[in-house]
């Protein structure tokens, strides 16, 4: 369970999160929507441990572990996965090698045996097939020369293989056509289980047609100003965010 | 930026884990008195029972060296080298070993410690490098050459150069100094005067050398310069892959290494020369380390010949070397693949010269420089197309990767083309390991140093894939370790 309590954070002198309260129990998918500049990406970065964000108050725990006290790689080992809004290119680094190194780092941190190249490839090929992705996805260098859609699919592939307990998807739908959107959604849906939860950050309702959330929250000016069921997303789609910020 | 600072701190912490090969071997040594004069040159020559012509050659080189000045054009700084305070010859005492059984067990132990099996049976039984013949050079002399019988069945000559002078004088006389003349530069003149040993390789016509050949250099003695000389000749249609590795103990004072390597490829011959240079780089404050002033040059003498240099340079306080190709034969090919990594106060000024003389000659230069700490890393290269080199082509790519903001990367390419039909391309990039790359890797579970290692190995991939398999794996590990301490 992800438990965020009165979390405040700033970048430089600018206060971005002004007291976020949110609980995501295992097995649930929560969507976070909101206007530009509301603090959606900041929330995802603070949870995954990116530098440059100063937490000024409050707490965030996952399964009782204090996320804010952990290094990014420790959070990964604890089961937190961030799907990036802008996935980063790693020239010369093969995708299969990258994901295997990541998976084995996590397994090592958990005291599990590492996977050799053969065992990993078997796992990776199966995942690729499940996600209807092309085989060369593993051979190419991490995100280098990938189209926007391919980069997002690669995030989903990494997520599938690292098999996190909590996935944070930071506007993973932005810039995707409908086919790519479906692949991303299928990837998340495939992970649904009583021990998996996700925080889906999005601008648009359309992703939520494919990943149906248990709850929708509206983040505005650094606070969650409204929460509701999936129907809240439809309402926002119809009326926009106007008037919510004052609430 | 904070992430980078932190990386560097991690890197420094790991650097403290120290240079793994920095042990000293205690063994009885013969040394000549310090300093250099004609008598020392004569002593070295006499010690080796050299013929008159070689002594004359050495003395000529010595006189030339005395008349020359140390070059000052490279982007390196060091206190003056006191050539009178060096030993020019050091060797394990006693008669030269005739076979492996006569080699001092301490030496065998040392090479085992370094992972270089000198015992052929052990090498054959082991999975480590079952198919590599090794010539081990300890300070000034070659102590053992393995697999000589297997090689001689194929007609390949692989032996210490001092032995080649005695056993194959005609070949040595014809080719020694034919690619790097004694007066080529200050350090080649010095080497020609005092070189003590090194490897000699001759691959006869049409023979593909049945195994990788390798020389392993080790400087052990204090205040001793190592001046080895390597000569490789591939006759018509022959081919060979040659590996070179180096280590030295950790010492506070700087040690001089001034080697000369000459390669000759006749018609249709191929020589692939790979180096993993891991001399002691000095400590975190820049104290100690090897001064590596090396002249390496290959002559693609025959048509359709090919010479390929691959180097991974992670060691030495100073690296000054420019493995080059003279593309004399029509359609000959020169290649230079280089990774140079500097950290702390290391300085590297390295690159290549591709001299296009024959028609339709082609050259490729791929250089990857990685700088970290307070280090300086310079690529210096010359592509020269002479008037007769119609249809010559060169492609050069120089990439620099910076870690932190105290280091420097410099690219100094010279291009001289005197033939209108030649095509010369040059690409250069400079980048930093970006904070977002590190965060991306860490968010996937990689530790910071694993992330840096992965990114740097990715950066060097185009060069590492040119190395023979065993070496590539070694080089990858070396980069990661040096990175921890070094990438830089």
């Amino acid at each position: 369970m992800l438990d965020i309590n009165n979390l405040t954070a700033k970048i430089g002198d600018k206060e971005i999160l002004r007291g976020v309260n949110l609980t995501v129990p295992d097995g649930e998918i929560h969507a976070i929507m909101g206007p530009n500049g509301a603090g959606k990406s900041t929330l995802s970065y603070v949870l995954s441990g990116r530098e440059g964000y100063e937490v000024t108050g409050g707490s965030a725990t996952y399964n009782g572990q204090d996320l804010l006290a952990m290094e990014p790689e420790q959070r990964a080992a604890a089961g937190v996965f961030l799907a990036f809004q802008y996935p980063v290119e790693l020239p010369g680094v093969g995708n299969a090698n990258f994901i295997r190194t990541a998976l084995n780092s996590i397994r090592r941190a958990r005291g599990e045996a590492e996977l050799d190249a053969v065992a990993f490839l078997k796992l990776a090929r199966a995942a690729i097939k499940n996600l209807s992705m092309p085989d060369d996805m593993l051979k190419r260098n991490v995100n280098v020369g990938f189209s926007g859609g391919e980069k997002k699919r690669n995030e989903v592939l990494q997520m599938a293989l690292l098999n996190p307990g909590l996935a944070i998807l930071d506007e993973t739908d932005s810039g995707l056509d409908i086919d790519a959107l479906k692949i991303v959604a299928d990837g998340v849906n495939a992970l649904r289980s009583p021990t998996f939860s996700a925080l889906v950050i999005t601008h648009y309702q359309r992703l939520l047609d494919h990943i149906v959330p248990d709850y929708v929250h509206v983040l505005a000016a650094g606070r969650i100003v409204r929460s509701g069921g999936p129907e809240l997303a439809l309402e926002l789609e119809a009326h926009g965010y106007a008037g919510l910020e004052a609430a | 930026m904070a992430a980078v600072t932190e990386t560097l701190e991690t890197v420094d912490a790991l650097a403290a884990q120290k240079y793994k090969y920095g042990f000293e071997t205690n063994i009885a040594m013969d040394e000549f008195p310090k300093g250099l004069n004609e008598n020392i040159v004569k002593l070295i020559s006499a010690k080796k029972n050299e013929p008159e012509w070689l002594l004359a050659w050495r003395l000529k080189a010595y006189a030339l060296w005395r008349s020359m000045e140390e070059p000052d054009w490279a982007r390196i700084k060091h206190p003056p080298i006191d050539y009178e305070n060096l030993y020019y010859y050091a060797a394990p005492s006693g008669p030269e070993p005739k076979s492996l059984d006569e080699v001092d067990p301490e030496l065998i132990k040392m090479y085992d410690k370094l992972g270089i099996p000198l015992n052929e049976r052990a090498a054959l039984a082991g999975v480590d490098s079952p198919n590599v013949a090794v010539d081990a050079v300890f300070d000034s002399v070659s102590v053992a050459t393995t697999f000589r019988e297997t090689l001689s069945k194929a007609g390949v000559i692989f032996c210490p150069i001092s032995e080649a002078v005695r056993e194959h004088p005609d070949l040595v006389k014809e080719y020694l100094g034919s690619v790097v003349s004694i007066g080529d530069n200050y350090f080649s003149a010095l080497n020609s005067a005092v070189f003590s040993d090194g490897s000699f390789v001759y691959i006869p016509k049409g023979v593909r050398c049945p195994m990788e050949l390798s020389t392993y250099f080790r400087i052990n003695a204090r205040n001793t310069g190592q001046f080895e000389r390597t000569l490789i000749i591939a006759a018509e249609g022959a081919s060979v892959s040659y590996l070179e590795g180096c280590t030295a103990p950790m010492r506070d004072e700087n040690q001089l290494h001034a080697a000369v390597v000459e390669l000759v490829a006749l018609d249709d011959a191929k020589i692939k020369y790979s180096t993993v240079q891991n001399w002691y780089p000095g400590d975190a404050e820049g104290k100690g380390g090897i001064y590596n002033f090396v002249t390496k040059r290959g002559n693609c003498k025959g048509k359709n010949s090919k010479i390929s240099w691959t180097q991974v340079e992670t060691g030495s306080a100073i690296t000054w070397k420019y493995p080059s190709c003279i593309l004399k034969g029509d359609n000959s090919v020169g290649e230079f693949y280089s990774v140079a990594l500097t950290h702390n106060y290391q300085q590297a000024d390295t690159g290549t010269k591709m001299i296009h003389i024959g028609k339709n000659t082609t050259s490729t230069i791929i250089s990857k420089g990685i700088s970290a700490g307070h280090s300086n890393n310079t690529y210096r290269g010359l592509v020269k197309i002479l008037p007769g080199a119609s249809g010559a082509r060169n492609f050069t790519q120089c990439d620099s990767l910076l870690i932190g903001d105290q280091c420097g990367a410099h690219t100094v390419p010279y291009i001289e083309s005197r033939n209108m039909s030649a095509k010369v391309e040059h690409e250069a990039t400079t980048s930093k390991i970006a904070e977002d790359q590190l965060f991306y890797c860490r968010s996937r579970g990689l530790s910071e140093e694993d992330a840096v290692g992965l990114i740097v190995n990715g950066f060097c991939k185009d060069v590492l894939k040119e190395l023979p398999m065993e070496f590539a794996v070694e080089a990858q590990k070396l980069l990661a370790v040096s990175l921890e301490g070094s990438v830089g």
Side-chain angles (χ1 to χ4, degrees), chain B residues 78-114:
Chain B
H78 57 87
I81 299 170
D82 184 356
Y83 292 92
E84 302 311 324
N85 194 34
L86 284 179
Y87 292 107
Y88 287 85
Y89 185 86
S93 52
E96 276 187 40
K98 297 267 179 303
S99 74
L100 272 174
D101 300 338
E102 291 175 28
V103 175
D104 189 322
E106 275 294 310
L107 273 179
I108 303 239
K109 254 203 282 185
M110 180 204 76
Y111 281 98
D112 275 346
K113 214 160 156 185
L114 293 165

Side-chain angles (χ1 to χ4, degrees), chain A residues 48-51 71-73 76 81-82 84 88-89 91-93 98 102 105-106 108 141 143 155 158, chain B residues 1-3 6 435-448 450 454-455 457-459 461:
Chain A
S48 52
R50 184 166 201 151
E51 308 238 354
E71 296 293 336
E73 58 269 32
F81 179 90
L82 172 65
F84 280 56
V88 177
E89 298 184 4
V93 181
F98 175 65
S105 300
I106 289 173
R108 214 165 38 233
N141 291 336
N143 296 326
E155 295 294 284
Q158 292 175 39
Chain B
M1 212 52 240
E6 211 179 284
E435 197 216 330
D436 61 352
Q437 288 177 319
L438 283 179
F439 175 62
Y440 189 66
C441 294
R442 295 180 74 192
S443 78
R444 298 298 182 252
L446 273 72
S447 67
E448 194 156 28
D450 285 352
L454 197 73
I455 292 165
N457 270 305
F459 174 76
K461 192 181 183 182

Side-chain angles (χ1 to χ4, degrees), chain A residues 73 76-81 100-112 162, chain B residues 443-446:
Chain A
E73 58 269 32
V80 178
F81 179 90
R100 186 164 76 94
T101 308
L103 181 59
N104 280 336
S105 300
I106 289 173
R107 292 177 72 102
R108 214 165 38 233
R110 292 177 182 166
E112 296 167 9
L162 298 181
Chain B
S443 78
R444 298 298 182 252
L446 273 72

Side-chain angles (χ1 to χ4, degrees), chain B residues 82 85 103 140 143 179 207 270 315 351 397 424 445-446 449 470 481:
Chain B
D82 184 356
N85 194 34
V103 175
S140 302
V143 290
V179 188
V207 170
K270 287 188 176 65
Q397 186 180 334
V424 178
L446 273 72
E449 59 268 30
E470 314 88 308
V481 169

Side-chain angles (χ1 to χ4, degrees), chain B residues 12 42 76 99 124 161 194 294-295 327 345 379 387 390 430 473:
Chain B
D12 288 339
K42 285 177 185 162
I76 53 172
S99 74
L124 281 168
I161 201 159
V194 301
V294 169
T295 306
L327 302 170
Y345 288 88
Y379 167 81
S390 307
T430 301
V473 174

Side-chain angles (χ1 to χ4, degrees), chain B residues 40-273:
Chain B
I40 294 283
V41 176
K42 285 177 185 162
L43 268 171
I44 293 171
S45 190
K47 183 97 188 165
K48 304 263 162 202
N49 294 320
E50 284 177 355
E52 197 56 35
W53 68 265
L54 191 51
L55 175 62
W57 194 81
R58 286 177 181 276
L59 289 172
K60 192 174 153 199
Y62 173 73
L64 256 172
W65 177 71
R66 276 290 172 206
S67 72
M68 294 169 91
E69 299 272 327
E70 220 178 78
D72 61 358
W73 42 261
R75 190 184 278 268
I76 53 172
K77 272 190 233 140
H78 57 87
I81 299 170
D82 184 356
Y83 292 92
E84 302 311 324
N85 194 34
L86 284 179
Y87 292 107
Y88 287 85
Y89 185 86
S93 52
E96 276 187 40
K98 297 267 179 303
S99 74
L100 272 174
D101 300 338
E102 291 175 28
V103 175
D104 189 322
E106 275 294 310
L107 273 179
I108 303 239
K109 254 203 282 185
M110 180 204 76
Y111 281 98
D112 275 346
K113 214 160 156 185
L114 293 165
I116 319 293
L118 287 188
N119 186 314
E120 289 184 29
R121 240 172 309 158
L124 281 168
V127 277
D128 270 337
S129 43
N131 212 18
V132 181
V134 180
D135 183 20
V137 177
F138 184 80
D139 291 325
S140 302
V141 295
S142 172
V143 290
T145 310
T146 61
F147 289 107
R148 292 172 68 161
E149 268 182 46
T150 319
L151 289 168
S152 71
K153 268 182 208 148
V156 172
I157 304 169
F158 179 39
C159 66
I161 201 159
S162 53
E163 184 184 317
V165 169
R166 293 192 300 265
E167 308 290 328
H168 312 282
D170 295 344
L171 282 172
V172 176
K173 210 168 171 178
E174 182 177 355
Y175 291 108
L176 188 72
S178 73
V179 188
V180 178
S181 66
I182 53 178
D184 183 81
N185 67 71
Y186 187 80
F187 296 104
S188 74
L190 177 61
N191 174 286
S192 302
V194 301
F195 81 88
S196 41
D197 223 330
S199 301
F200 176 81
V201 177
Y202 180 80
I203 316 288
K205 198 169 170 176
V207 170
R208 191 163 172 269
C209 188
M211 54 175 65
E212 304 265 359
L213 302 184
S214 168
T215 301
Y216 200 86
F217 296 108
R218 169 87 179 166
I219 299 180
N220 192 63
R222 213 169 267 277
N223 285 326
T224 301
Q226 179 152 323
F227 307 95
E228 81 273 0
R229 186 103 198 176
T230 300
L231 176 57
I232 301 177
I233 303 142
E236 291 83 355
S239 71
V240 61
S241 170
Y242 187 89
L243 322 171
E244 178 199 275
C246 347
T247 60
M250 294 161 67
R251 296 200 189 284
D252 287 347
E253 69 270 20
N254 297 104
Q255 288 178 285
L256 180 63
H257 174 248
V260 172
V261 175
E262 297 178 278
L263 313 181
V264 179
L266 303 183
D267 288 357
D268 305 298
K270 287 188 176 65
I271 302 176
K272 182 177 174 68
Y273 194 105

